[in-house]
Amino acid sequence: MDNNLSILIVDDELSVRDSLSNWFIEDGYSVDTAEDAKVALKKIEAFNFHIILVDIKLPGMDGLELNRRIKSINEETIVIIMTAFASVDSAVEALKDGAYDYICKPFDPDAVTHIIRNASKNIQLSHENLSLQERIKSLVNVEDIIGGSDSILQVLEQVRVVAETDSTVIITGDSGTGKELFAKAIHMNSPRRFFPMVTVHCGAIAENLMESELFGHERGAFTGAQYARKGKFEMADGATLFLDEISTISIKMQIELLRVLESKHFTRVGGNRELKSDFRVICATNRDLKSMVDAGEFREDLYYRLNVFTIDIPPLRERVEDIKLLAQHFVKMYAEQMNRATTHVGKRAMNALENYPFPGNVRELENLIERAIVIGTGDSVRLKDLPFDRVLTKPTWESIQEMEHHHIVSILDKYDWNISRSAKALGVDRVTLYSKIKKYQIEKSK
Amino acid sequence: MQFTRVDLLEKMLPLISSRLHMNTSLSEYYLDLTHFFDPVRSQYNANDIIKKLVPLAKEGDRVVGITDLDLFIPVLSYIFGQAYLGGSAALVSGHRLENKRYGLVNDPQMYADRLLKCVLHELGHAFGLIHCHKPGCVMVSTTYVEEMDQKSDRFCGKCLSELSRRSSLGTSS
């Protein structure tokens, strides 16, 4: 029971107000009282009570009208009508006007305790419901997908447009570009968002299991099928079916899939009953399906059935401007998760990241930052916290002096600004190193 | 206060002291309860009786009245006990604690246990404790006797430390 709840007792009898408030205060609730509807309304307008107990017979405005007024101020407020046996009919009328429940005076202590506990649970559940809905919204809001490059903004616009429709979508892109995230964004912004997105990682399911995975099976359909089981098609009824790595499914399954996509009817493995399911299909692949069709590896009819709307996620190397935004996002996320003080990516580390080709795309960047936060100590991600070989970064300097400058910086970073060790590694004495630091105005990165 | 089993209270006194970690004493008090009787309900108004107990408590002390009479407060059909939260007085009735009221074989020990729990619970309120949700704690709210039998006659650690904090200015009598 949530004891942070506030209760208002509206009754013209002082003894009732005192007795009830004492009873609820002992339970830890915050309690206020009002002797009539006028006082009650004033208090309700000034403070948001969770539960209001209203006597049906009040001087002036009666409890029924007060209930209606309370509901017009805040529909969520729980109103419990207190009544004598003689006025149960009126209490029922109040229920029709949105009152939560009614209770006959004098109350049985057990009854009043239960009614308040149930009301508290109701309030808690509706708060939880709201916060979960908010969390779901915030999970994959299109606006929350990180990226400022023209190419990614174009993709997000496509996501927005296609989300509202019920069309089949193919998402293409290199491994690690976040195809599943974009699929979720489409689902979460579609009318089907209140149902789950059922995901099938086609590449991770053995071919002989794929049929029962998608179609489900009846009990005894095959050795080991001790129980009937719903397949993904059935589970996705009303929802979105996300077929990841669609290119990996066998030709036989492609035929079956095409048939289901066209009719939305199917039978479980080992069953006779025809089932129907209403689902939207989003699929993803990192391969070029058209060339697979040309090579005879993917059925042309299925390809055209799926290829209603295609979204191509550009690789990270083609949208370098997003690296900074994504890196900062991951720093914030992992620093919070790991309770670290890291707030940003240092200049040299960022330069290295922006020059790295990221064959593993966003996933690789995320892993790099996570690792850097784990091993790093300061308030920034430094170049030495990143694991890749600096040879992979493209140098942007041309003169020997620029090269010398950057080499000294990298050695100083490597030896954590230990001048003696850095000088030894560079093959110069400490005085020379100091003069070079002064010459190039090198400062220790924060 | 119309309570016939004074011997029971004498046995209970050391237990109350031990549970509260405070000194306690027992005294008889005569109060004419006829004014507090509600003929329609055939019960006694606890709100009115408790007011009479307040002046009996000395500075910093708590007083708990124990009676056999059936108590009510205007809005509830019955109560086992009543206290002013953080106040000086509490009231407990043994009327609804006996098995025979529920058509069961009487069990004096069970009755004594329930009475002790009620007294400790109401004194807890008088010291400012609110209902506790830790199963077994004597400050768990109970509205019928079977529920009361589920809890112990002890304060949980949290309630006990709160009790000790709040009672540091006075003792119970």
PDB file of all heavy atoms in Angstrom, chain A residues 1 3 15-16 19-20 22-23 25-28 106-110 113, chain B residues 41 47 73-78 82-83 85 125 130-131 133 141 143-144:
ATOM      1  N   MET A   1       0.850  -1.201   0.000  1.00  0.00           N
ATOM      2  CA  MET A   1       0.000   0.000   0.000  1.00  0.00           C
ATOM      3  C   MET A   1       0.879   1.241   0.000  1.00  0.00           C
ATOM      4  O   MET A   1       1.876   1.330   0.677  1.00  0.00           O
ATOM      5  CB  MET A   1      -0.856  -0.040   1.258  1.00  0.00           C
ATOM      6  CG  MET A   1      -1.907   1.030   1.266  1.00  0.00           C
ATOM      7  SD  MET A   1      -3.225   0.612   2.399  1.00  0.00           S
ATOM      8  CE  MET A   1      -2.347   0.267   3.898  1.00  0.00           C
ATOM      9  N   ASN A   3       1.592   4.708   1.118  1.00  0.00           N
ATOM     10  CA  ASN A   3       1.162   5.619   2.169  1.00  0.00           C
ATOM     11  C   ASN A   3       1.466   7.074   1.849  1.00  0.00           C
ATOM     12  O   ASN A   3       1.294   7.930   2.702  1.00  0.00           O
ATOM     13  CB  ASN A   3       1.806   5.219   3.499  1.00  0.00           C
ATOM     14  CG  ASN A   3       1.174   3.963   4.044  1.00  0.00           C
ATOM     15  OD1 ASN A   3       0.644   3.170   3.286  1.00  0.00           O
ATOM     16  ND2 ASN A   3       1.207   3.793   5.335  1.00  0.00           N
ATOM     17  N   SER A  15     -17.773  14.304  14.402  1.00  0.00           N
ATOM     18  CA  SER A  15     -17.301  13.028  14.975  1.00  0.00           C
ATOM     19  C   SER A  15     -16.862  12.063  13.868  1.00  0.00           C
ATOM     20  O   SER A  15     -15.893  11.317  14.029  1.00  0.00           O
ATOM     21  CB  SER A  15     -18.391  12.397  15.829  1.00  0.00           C
ATOM     22  OG  SER A  15     -19.529  12.139  15.032  1.00  0.00           O
ATOM     23  N   VAL A  16     -17.576  12.102  12.739  1.00  0.00           N
ATOM     24  CA  VAL A  16     -17.214  11.215  11.612  1.00  0.00           C
ATOM     25  C   VAL A  16     -15.872  11.662  11.034  1.00  0.00           C
ATOM     26  O   VAL A  16     -14.980  10.846  10.786  1.00  0.00           O
ATOM     27  CB  VAL A  16     -18.326  11.234  10.529  1.00  0.00           C
ATOM     28  CG1 VAL A  16     -17.858  10.526   9.263  1.00  0.00           C
ATOM     29  CG2 VAL A  16     -19.591  10.596  11.060  1.00  0.00           C
ATOM     30  N   SER A  19     -13.112  10.760  13.560  1.00  0.00           N
ATOM     31  CA  SER A  19     -12.872   9.314  13.671  1.00  0.00           C
ATOM     32  C   SER A  19     -12.153   8.776  12.445  1.00  0.00           C
ATOM     33  O   SER A  19     -11.178   8.024  12.548  1.00  0.00           O
ATOM     34  CB  SER A  19     -14.195   8.559  13.811  1.00  0.00           C
ATOM     35  OG  SER A  19     -14.903   9.032  14.911  1.00  0.00           O
ATOM     36  N   LEU A  20     -12.662   9.200  11.269  1.00  0.00           N
ATOM     37  CA  LEU A  20     -12.062   8.674  10.035  1.00  0.00           C
ATOM     38  C   LEU A  20     -10.642   9.185   9.836  1.00  0.00           C
ATOM     39  O   LEU A  20      -9.750   8.431   9.445  1.00  0.00           O
ATOM     40  CB  LEU A  20     -12.906   9.067   8.834  1.00  0.00           C
ATOM     41  CG  LEU A  20     -13.973   8.071   8.399  1.00  0.00           C
ATOM     42  CD1 LEU A  20     -14.682   8.567   7.161  1.00  0.00           C
ATOM     43  CD2 LEU A  20     -13.386   6.694   8.135  1.00  0.00           C
ATOM     44  N   ASN A  22      -8.516  10.093  12.053  1.00  0.00           N
ATOM     45  CA  ASN A  22      -7.640   9.395  13.005  1.00  0.00           C
ATOM     46  C   ASN A  22      -7.311   7.995  12.499  1.00  0.00           C
ATOM     47  O   ASN A  22      -6.169   7.541  12.537  1.00  0.00           O
ATOM     48  CB  ASN A  22      -8.339   9.325  14.370  1.00  0.00           C
ATOM     49  CG  ASN A  22      -7.374   8.929  15.461  1.00  0.00           C
ATOM     50  OD1 ASN A  22      -6.209   9.298  15.403  1.00  0.00           O
ATOM     51  ND2 ASN A  22      -7.845   8.175  16.426  1.00  0.00           N
ATOM     52  N   TRP A  23      -8.324   7.332  11.960  1.00  0.00           N
ATOM     53  CA  TRP A  23      -8.171   5.961  11.448  1.00  0.00           C
ATOM     54  C   TRP A  23      -7.153   5.928  10.297  1.00  0.00           C
ATOM     55  O   TRP A  23      -6.267   5.083  10.247  1.00  0.00           O
ATOM     56  CB  TRP A  23      -9.550   5.471  10.975  1.00  0.00           C
ATOM     57  CG  TRP A  23      -9.565   4.078  10.426  1.00  0.00           C
ATOM     58  CD1 TRP A  23      -9.504   3.708   9.115  1.00  0.00           C
ATOM     59  CD2 TRP A  23      -9.651   2.866  11.175  1.00  0.00           C
ATOM     60  NE1 TRP A  23      -9.547   2.345   8.994  1.00  0.00           N
ATOM     61  CE2 TRP A  23      -9.639   1.804  10.245  1.00  0.00           C
ATOM     62  CE3 TRP A  23      -9.736   2.558  12.535  1.00  0.00           C
ATOM     63  CZ2 TRP A  23      -9.716   0.469  10.626  1.00  0.00           C
ATOM     64  CZ3 TRP A  23      -9.807   1.229  12.905  1.00  0.00           C
ATOM     65  CH2 TRP A  23      -9.798   0.207  11.975  1.00  0.00           C
ATOM     66  N   ILE A  25      -4.916   8.355   9.508  1.00  0.00           N
ATOM     67  CA  ILE A  25      -3.593   8.863   9.923  1.00  0.00           C
ATOM     68  C   ILE A  25      -2.777   7.715  10.520  1.00  0.00           C
ATOM     69  O   ILE A  25      -1.577   7.583  10.270  1.00  0.00           O
ATOM     70  CB  ILE A  25      -3.745  10.029  10.928  1.00  0.00           C
ATOM     71  CG1 ILE A  25      -4.182  11.294  10.182  1.00  0.00           C
ATOM     72  CG2 ILE A  25      -2.440  10.302  11.665  1.00  0.00           C
ATOM     73  CD1 ILE A  25      -4.613  12.436  11.080  1.00  0.00           C
ATOM     74  N   GLU A  26      -3.456   6.842  11.278  1.00  0.00           N
ATOM     75  CA  GLU A  26      -2.751   5.685  11.864  1.00  0.00           C
ATOM     76  C   GLU A  26      -2.202   4.765  10.778  1.00  0.00           C
ATOM     77  O   GLU A  26      -1.284   4.006  11.002  1.00  0.00           O
ATOM     78  CB  GLU A  26      -3.705   4.902  12.774  1.00  0.00           C
ATOM     79  CG  GLU A  26      -3.946   5.586  14.106  1.00  0.00           C
ATOM     80  CD  GLU A  26      -4.897   4.823  15.006  1.00  0.00           C
ATOM     81  OE1 GLU A  26      -5.426   3.773  14.573  1.00  0.00           O
ATOM     82  OE2 GLU A  26      -5.122   5.271  16.138  1.00  0.00           O
ATOM     83  N   ASP A  27      -2.825   4.834   9.586  1.00  0.00           N
ATOM     84  CA  ASP A  27      -2.343   4.021   8.472  1.00  0.00           C
ATOM     85  C   ASP A  27      -1.244   4.737   7.700  1.00  0.00           C
ATOM     86  O   ASP A  27      -0.724   4.206   6.718  1.00  0.00           O
ATOM     87  CB  ASP A  27      -3.514   3.705   7.531  1.00  0.00           C
ATOM     88  CG  ASP A  27      -3.888   2.231   7.585  1.00  0.00           C
ATOM     89  OD1 ASP A  27      -3.007   1.429   7.923  1.00  0.00           O
ATOM     90  OD2 ASP A  27      -5.037   1.896   7.293  1.00  0.00           O
ATOM     91  N   GLY A  28      -0.931   5.965   8.090  1.00  0.00           N
ATOM     92  CA  GLY A  28       0.161   6.698   7.459  1.00  0.00           C
ATOM     93  C   GLY A  28      -0.264   7.581   6.301  1.00  0.00           C
ATOM     94  O   GLY A  28       0.579   8.120   5.596  1.00  0.00           O
ATOM     95  N   PRO A 106     -22.679   2.627   9.658  1.00  0.00           N
ATOM     96  CA  PRO A 106     -21.272   2.680  10.057  1.00  0.00           C
ATOM     97  C   PRO A 106     -20.479   1.594   9.328  1.00  0.00           C
ATOM     98  O   PRO A 106     -20.979   0.514   9.092  1.00  0.00           O
ATOM     99  CB  PRO A 106     -21.327   2.411  11.558  1.00  0.00           C
ATOM    100  CG  PRO A 106     -22.561   1.604  11.760  1.00  0.00           C
ATOM    101  CD  PRO A 106     -23.531   2.031  10.703  1.00  0.00           C
ATOM    102  N   PHE A 107     -19.246   1.901   9.010  1.00  0.00           N
ATOM    103  CA  PHE A 107     -18.430   0.947   8.255  1.00  0.00           C
ATOM    104  C   PHE A 107     -17.926  -0.166   9.163  1.00  0.00           C
ATOM    105  O   PHE A 107     -17.622   0.076  10.327  1.00  0.00           O
ATOM    106  CB  PHE A 107     -17.169   1.575   7.657  1.00  0.00           C
ATOM    107  CG  PHE A 107     -17.344   2.934   7.075  1.00  0.00           C
ATOM    108  CD1 PHE A 107     -16.342   3.873   7.231  1.00  0.00           C
ATOM    109  CD2 PHE A 107     -18.470   3.260   6.356  1.00  0.00           C
ATOM    110  CE1 PHE A 107     -16.464   5.128   6.687  1.00  0.00           C
ATOM    111  CE2 PHE A 107     -18.611   4.518   5.804  1.00  0.00           C
ATOM    112  CZ  PHE A 107     -17.608   5.460   5.974  1.00  0.00           C
ATOM    113  N   ASP A 108     -17.770  -1.313   8.523  1.00  0.00           N
ATOM    114  CA  ASP A 108     -17.033  -2.383   9.164  1.00  0.00           C
ATOM    115  C   ASP A 108     -15.554  -2.010   8.987  1.00  0.00           C
ATOM    116  O   ASP A 108     -15.153  -1.641   7.877  1.00  0.00           O
ATOM    117  CB  ASP A 108     -17.349  -3.692   8.437  1.00  0.00           C
ATOM    118  CG  ASP A 108     -16.802  -4.877   9.149  1.00  0.00           C
ATOM    119  OD1 ASP A 108     -17.494  -5.390  10.012  1.00  0.00           O
ATOM    120  OD2 ASP A 108     -15.656  -5.265   8.822  1.00  0.00           O
ATOM    121  N   PRO A 109     -14.719  -2.040  10.042  1.00  0.00           N
ATOM    122  CA  PRO A 109     -13.315  -1.626   9.876  1.00  0.00           C
ATOM    123  C   PRO A 109     -12.612  -2.374   8.751  1.00  0.00           C
ATOM    124  O   PRO A 109     -11.806  -1.812   8.012  1.00  0.00           O
ATOM    125  CB  PRO A 109     -12.675  -1.956  11.231  1.00  0.00           C
ATOM    126  CG  PRO A 109     -13.795  -2.051  12.189  1.00  0.00           C
ATOM    127  CD  PRO A 109     -15.013  -2.468  11.416  1.00  0.00           C
ATOM    128  N   ASP A 110     -12.961  -3.660   8.621  1.00  0.00           N
ATOM    129  CA  ASP A 110     -12.340  -4.465   7.588  1.00  0.00           C
ATOM    130  C   ASP A 110     -12.721  -3.953   6.197  1.00  0.00           C
ATOM    131  O   ASP A 110     -11.884  -3.879   5.290  1.00  0.00           O
ATOM    132  CB  ASP A 110     -12.806  -5.913   7.766  1.00  0.00           C
ATOM    133  CG  ASP A 110     -11.929  -6.873   7.018  1.00  0.00           C
ATOM    134  OD1 ASP A 110     -10.718  -6.610   6.967  1.00  0.00           O
ATOM    135  OD2 ASP A 110     -12.448  -7.860   6.485  1.00  0.00           O
ATOM    136  N   THR A 113     -10.932  -0.649   5.390  1.00  0.00           N
ATOM    137  CA  THR A 113      -9.511  -0.910   5.128  1.00  0.00           C
ATOM    138  C   THR A 113      -9.332  -1.472   3.714  1.00  0.00           C
ATOM    139  O   THR A 113      -8.454  -1.042   2.966  1.00  0.00           O
ATOM    140  CB  THR A 113      -8.944  -1.898   6.168  1.00  0.00           C
ATOM    141  OG1 THR A 113      -9.169  -1.344   7.453  1.00  0.00           O
ATOM    142  CG2 THR A 113      -7.477  -2.151   5.981  1.00  0.00           C
TER     143      THR A 113
ATOM    144  N   ARG B  41     -26.950   1.510  19.212  1.00  0.00           N
ATOM    145  CA  ARG B  41     -25.899   0.579  18.807  1.00  0.00           C
ATOM    146  C   ARG B  41     -25.551  -0.429  19.888  1.00  0.00           C
ATOM    147  O   ARG B  41     -24.805  -1.378  19.630  1.00  0.00           O
ATOM    148  CB  ARG B  41     -24.632   1.367  18.411  1.00  0.00           C
ATOM    149  CG  ARG B  41     -24.899   2.314  17.250  1.00  0.00           C
ATOM    150  CD  ARG B  41     -23.678   3.100  16.864  1.00  0.00           C
ATOM    151  NE  ARG B  41     -22.588   2.235  16.401  1.00  0.00           N
ATOM    152  CZ  ARG B  41     -21.674   2.588  15.507  1.00  0.00           C
ATOM    153  NH1 ARG B  41     -21.724   3.807  14.994  1.00  0.00           N
ATOM    154  NH2 ARG B  41     -20.740   1.770  15.161  1.00  0.00           N
ATOM    155  N   ASN B  47     -14.502   7.457  21.397  1.00  0.00           N
ATOM    156  CA  ASN B  47     -13.992   8.831  21.259  1.00  0.00           C
ATOM    157  C   ASN B  47     -14.241   9.637  22.530  1.00  0.00           C
ATOM    158  O   ASN B  47     -13.400  10.446  22.933  1.00  0.00           O
ATOM    159  CB  ASN B  47     -14.682   9.543  20.092  1.00  0.00           C
ATOM    160  CG  ASN B  47     -14.052   9.182  18.752  1.00  0.00           C
ATOM    161  OD1 ASN B  47     -13.026   8.512  18.714  1.00  0.00           O
ATOM    162  ND2 ASN B  47     -14.682   9.595  17.672  1.00  0.00           N
ATOM    163  N   ILE B  73     -16.542   3.802  17.292  1.00  0.00           N
ATOM    164  CA  ILE B  73     -16.393   5.233  16.997  1.00  0.00           C
ATOM    165  C   ILE B  73     -17.466   5.526  15.954  1.00  0.00           C
ATOM    166  O   ILE B  73     -17.878   4.615  15.220  1.00  0.00           O
ATOM    167  CB  ILE B  73     -14.964   5.613  16.524  1.00  0.00           C
ATOM    168  CG1 ILE B  73     -14.512   4.786  15.337  1.00  0.00           C
ATOM    169  CG2 ILE B  73     -13.976   5.511  17.658  1.00  0.00           C
ATOM    170  CD1 ILE B  73     -13.185   5.249  14.742  1.00  0.00           C
ATOM    171  N   PRO B  74     -17.979   6.735  15.897  1.00  0.00           N
ATOM    172  CA  PRO B  74     -19.203   6.997  15.137  1.00  0.00           C
ATOM    173  C   PRO B  74     -19.273   6.380  13.746  1.00  0.00           C
ATOM    174  O   PRO B  74     -20.320   5.945  13.324  1.00  0.00           O
ATOM    175  CB  PRO B  74     -19.243   8.519  15.078  1.00  0.00           C
ATOM    176  CG  PRO B  74     -18.576   8.945  16.313  1.00  0.00           C
ATOM    177  CD  PRO B  74     -17.495   7.942  16.568  1.00  0.00           C
ATOM    178  N   VAL B  75     -18.148   6.345  13.045  1.00  0.00           N
ATOM    179  CA  VAL B  75     -18.244   5.898  11.663  1.00  0.00           C
ATOM    180  C   VAL B  75     -17.962   4.397  11.482  1.00  0.00           C
ATOM    181  O   VAL B  75     -18.263   3.836  10.449  1.00  0.00           O
ATOM    182  CB  VAL B  75     -17.309   6.776  10.787  1.00  0.00           C
ATOM    183  CG1 VAL B  75     -15.879   6.325  10.909  1.00  0.00           C
ATOM    184  CG2 VAL B  75     -17.771   6.838   9.368  1.00  0.00           C
ATOM    185  N   LEU B  76     -17.414   3.769  12.501  1.00  0.00           N
ATOM    186  CA  LEU B  76     -17.078   2.346  12.368  1.00  0.00           C
ATOM    187  C   LEU B  76     -17.999   1.491  13.236  1.00  0.00           C
ATOM    188  O   LEU B  76     -18.427   1.916  14.310  1.00  0.00           O
ATOM    189  CB  LEU B  76     -15.615   2.093  12.770  1.00  0.00           C
ATOM    190  CG  LEU B  76     -14.553   2.742  11.883  1.00  0.00           C
ATOM    191  CD1 LEU B  76     -13.160   2.418  12.396  1.00  0.00           C
ATOM    192  CD2 LEU B  76     -14.663   2.275  10.433  1.00  0.00           C
ATOM    193  N   SER B  77     -18.275   0.275  12.762  1.00  0.00           N
ATOM    194  CA  SER B  77     -19.221  -0.584  13.472  1.00  0.00           C
ATOM    195  C   SER B  77     -18.638  -1.112  14.790  1.00  0.00           C
ATOM    196  O   SER B  77     -19.374  -1.422  15.703  1.00  0.00           O
ATOM    197  CB  SER B  77     -19.655  -1.733  12.569  1.00  0.00           C
ATOM    198  OG  SER B  77     -18.529  -2.363  12.029  1.00  0.00           O
ATOM    199  N   TYR B  78     -17.327  -1.232  14.873  1.00  0.00           N
ATOM    200  CA  TYR B  78     -16.684  -1.633  16.133  1.00  0.00           C
ATOM    201  C   TYR B  78     -15.196  -1.304  16.067  1.00  0.00           C
ATOM    202  O   TYR B  78     -14.678  -1.062  14.967  1.00  0.00           O
ATOM    203  CB  TYR B  78     -16.856  -3.145  16.405  1.00  0.00           C
ATOM    204  CG  TYR B  78     -16.103  -4.015  15.426  1.00  0.00           C
ATOM    205  CD1 TYR B  78     -14.778  -4.402  15.666  1.00  0.00           C
ATOM    206  CD2 TYR B  78     -16.693  -4.428  14.235  1.00  0.00           C
ATOM    207  CE1 TYR B  78     -14.083  -5.172  14.756  1.00  0.00           C
ATOM    208  CE2 TYR B  78     -16.009  -5.202  13.327  1.00  0.00           C
ATOM    209  CZ  TYR B  78     -14.701  -5.566  13.586  1.00  0.00           C
ATOM    210  OH  TYR B  78     -14.011  -6.316  12.680  1.00  0.00           O
ATOM    211  N   GLN B  82      -8.340   2.208  20.475  1.00  0.00           N
ATOM    212  CA  GLN B  82      -8.309   3.561  19.925  1.00  0.00           C
ATOM    213  C   GLN B  82      -7.178   4.306  20.615  1.00  0.00           C
ATOM    214  O   GLN B  82      -6.920   4.063  21.802  1.00  0.00           O
ATOM    215  CB  GLN B  82      -9.670   4.208  20.211  1.00  0.00           C
ATOM    216  CG  GLN B  82      -9.756   5.685  20.043  1.00  0.00           C
ATOM    217  CD  GLN B  82     -10.107   6.046  18.588  1.00  0.00           C
ATOM    218  OE1 GLN B  82      -9.786   5.285  17.674  1.00  0.00           O
ATOM    219  NE2 GLN B  82     -10.727   7.175  18.383  1.00  0.00           N
ATOM    220  N   ALA B  83      -6.515   5.180  19.877  1.00  0.00           N
ATOM    221  CA  ALA B  83      -5.468   5.997  20.519  1.00  0.00           C
ATOM    222  C   ALA B  83      -5.367   7.311  19.778  1.00  0.00           C
ATOM    223  O   ALA B  83      -5.714   7.387  18.598  1.00  0.00           O
ATOM    224  CB  ALA B  83      -4.126   5.274  20.451  1.00  0.00           C
ATOM    225  N   LEU B  85      -2.940   9.557  17.949  1.00  0.00           N
ATOM    226  CA  LEU B  85      -1.597   9.379  17.408  1.00  0.00           C
ATOM    227  C   LEU B  85      -0.660  10.423  18.019  1.00  0.00           C
ATOM    228  O   LEU B  85      -0.896  11.621  17.877  1.00  0.00           O
ATOM    229  CB  LEU B  85      -1.626   9.508  15.882  1.00  0.00           C
ATOM    230  CG  LEU B  85      -0.353   9.070  15.175  1.00  0.00           C
ATOM    231  CD1 LEU B  85      -0.224   7.560  15.159  1.00  0.00           C
ATOM    232  CD2 LEU B  85      -0.318   9.587  13.745  1.00  0.00           C
ATOM    233  N   HIS B 125       0.710   3.569  18.868  1.00  0.00           N
ATOM    234  CA  HIS B 125       0.097   4.759  18.260  1.00  0.00           C
ATOM    235  C   HIS B 125       0.264   5.971  19.184  1.00  0.00           C
ATOM    236  O   HIS B 125       0.555   7.072  18.713  1.00  0.00           O
ATOM    237  CB  HIS B 125      -1.397   4.533  18.022  1.00  0.00           C
ATOM    238  CG  HIS B 125      -1.696   3.701  16.807  1.00  0.00           C
ATOM    239  ND1 HIS B 125      -1.025   3.851  15.616  1.00  0.00           N
ATOM    240  CD2 HIS B 125      -2.619   2.713  16.602  1.00  0.00           C
ATOM    241  CE1 HIS B 125      -1.519   2.985  14.729  1.00  0.00           C
ATOM    242  NE2 HIS B 125      -2.482   2.269  15.307  1.00  0.00           N
ATOM    243  N   ILE B 130       2.865   4.769  13.263  1.00  0.00           N
ATOM    244  CA  ILE B 130       1.740   4.479  12.367  1.00  0.00           C
ATOM    245  C   ILE B 130       1.767   2.982  12.033  1.00  0.00           C
ATOM    246  O   ILE B 130       2.675   2.269  12.453  1.00  0.00           O
ATOM    247  CB  ILE B 130       1.792   5.339  11.084  1.00  0.00           C
ATOM    248  CG1 ILE B 130       3.092   5.106  10.327  1.00  0.00           C
ATOM    249  CG2 ILE B 130       1.583   6.798  11.413  1.00  0.00           C
ATOM    250  CD1 ILE B 130       3.088   5.670   8.918  1.00  0.00           C
ATOM    251  N   HIS B 131       0.777   2.529  11.281  1.00  0.00           N
ATOM    252  CA  HIS B 131       0.726   1.096  10.969  1.00  0.00           C
ATOM    253  C   HIS B 131       1.961   0.663  10.182  1.00  0.00           C
ATOM    254  O   HIS B 131       2.462   1.410   9.345  1.00  0.00           O
ATOM    255  CB  HIS B 131      -0.540   0.767  10.179  1.00  0.00           C
ATOM    256  CG  HIS B 131      -1.771   0.797  11.044  1.00  0.00           C
ATOM    257  ND1 HIS B 131      -3.013   1.128  10.574  1.00  0.00           N
ATOM    258  CD2 HIS B 131      -1.937   0.548  12.373  1.00  0.00           C
ATOM    259  CE1 HIS B 131      -3.886   1.062  11.567  1.00  0.00           C
ATOM    260  NE2 HIS B 131      -3.257   0.726  12.670  1.00  0.00           N
ATOM    261  N   HIS B 133       3.992  -2.343   7.803  1.00  0.00           N
ATOM    262  CA  HIS B 133       3.633  -3.368   6.818  1.00  0.00           C
ATOM    263  C   HIS B 133       4.527  -4.600   6.931  1.00  0.00           C
ATOM    264  O   HIS B 133       4.431  -5.504   6.100  1.00  0.00           O
ATOM    265  CB  HIS B 133       3.715  -2.786   5.405  1.00  0.00           C
ATOM    266  CG  HIS B 133       2.779  -1.630   5.222  1.00  0.00           C
ATOM    267  ND1 HIS B 133       1.422  -1.773   5.356  1.00  0.00           N
ATOM    268  CD2 HIS B 133       2.999  -0.325   4.973  1.00  0.00           C
ATOM    269  CE1 HIS B 133       0.845  -0.593   5.179  1.00  0.00           C
ATOM    270  NE2 HIS B 133       1.785   0.300   4.949  1.00  0.00           N
ATOM    271  N   SER B 141      -1.728  -3.355  10.932  1.00  0.00           N
ATOM    272  CA  SER B 141      -3.148  -3.066  11.137  1.00  0.00           C
ATOM    273  C   SER B 141      -3.959  -4.355  11.033  1.00  0.00           C
ATOM    274  O   SER B 141      -3.797  -5.133  10.092  1.00  0.00           O
ATOM    275  CB  SER B 141      -3.609  -2.087  10.057  1.00  0.00           C
ATOM    276  OG  SER B 141      -5.002  -2.042   9.992  1.00  0.00           O
ATOM    277  N   THR B 143      -8.017  -5.990  11.472  1.00  0.00           N
ATOM    278  CA  THR B 143      -9.422  -5.615  11.674  1.00  0.00           C
ATOM    279  C   THR B 143     -10.281  -6.792  12.113  1.00  0.00           C
ATOM    280  O   THR B 143     -11.456  -6.635  12.354  1.00  0.00           O
ATOM    281  CB  THR B 143      -9.995  -5.009  10.377  1.00  0.00           C
ATOM    282  OG1 THR B 143      -9.674  -5.872   9.300  1.00  0.00           O
ATOM    283  CG2 THR B 143      -9.439  -3.624  10.107  1.00  0.00           C
ATOM    284  N   TYR B 144      -9.703  -7.979  12.207  1.00  0.00           N
ATOM    285  CA  TYR B 144     -10.420  -9.108  12.800  1.00  0.00           C
ATOM    286  C   TYR B 144      -9.430 -10.003  13.542  1.00  0.00           C
ATOM    287  O   TYR B 144      -8.220  -9.957  13.279  1.00  0.00           O
ATOM    288  CB  TYR B 144     -11.265  -9.883  11.782  1.00  0.00           C
ATOM    289  CG  TYR B 144     -10.560 -10.310  10.525  1.00  0.00           C
ATOM    290  CD1 TYR B 144     -10.050 -11.604  10.394  1.00  0.00           C
ATOM    291  CD2 TYR B 144     -10.420  -9.431   9.447  1.00  0.00           C
ATOM    292  CE1 TYR B 144      -9.417 -11.998   9.239  1.00  0.00           C
ATOM    293  CE2 TYR B 144      -9.792  -9.821   8.284  1.00  0.00           C
ATOM    294  CZ  TYR B 144      -9.293 -11.110   8.187  1.00  0.00           C
ATOM    295  OH  TYR B 144      -8.663 -11.507   7.030  1.00  0.00           O
TER     296      TYR B 144
END
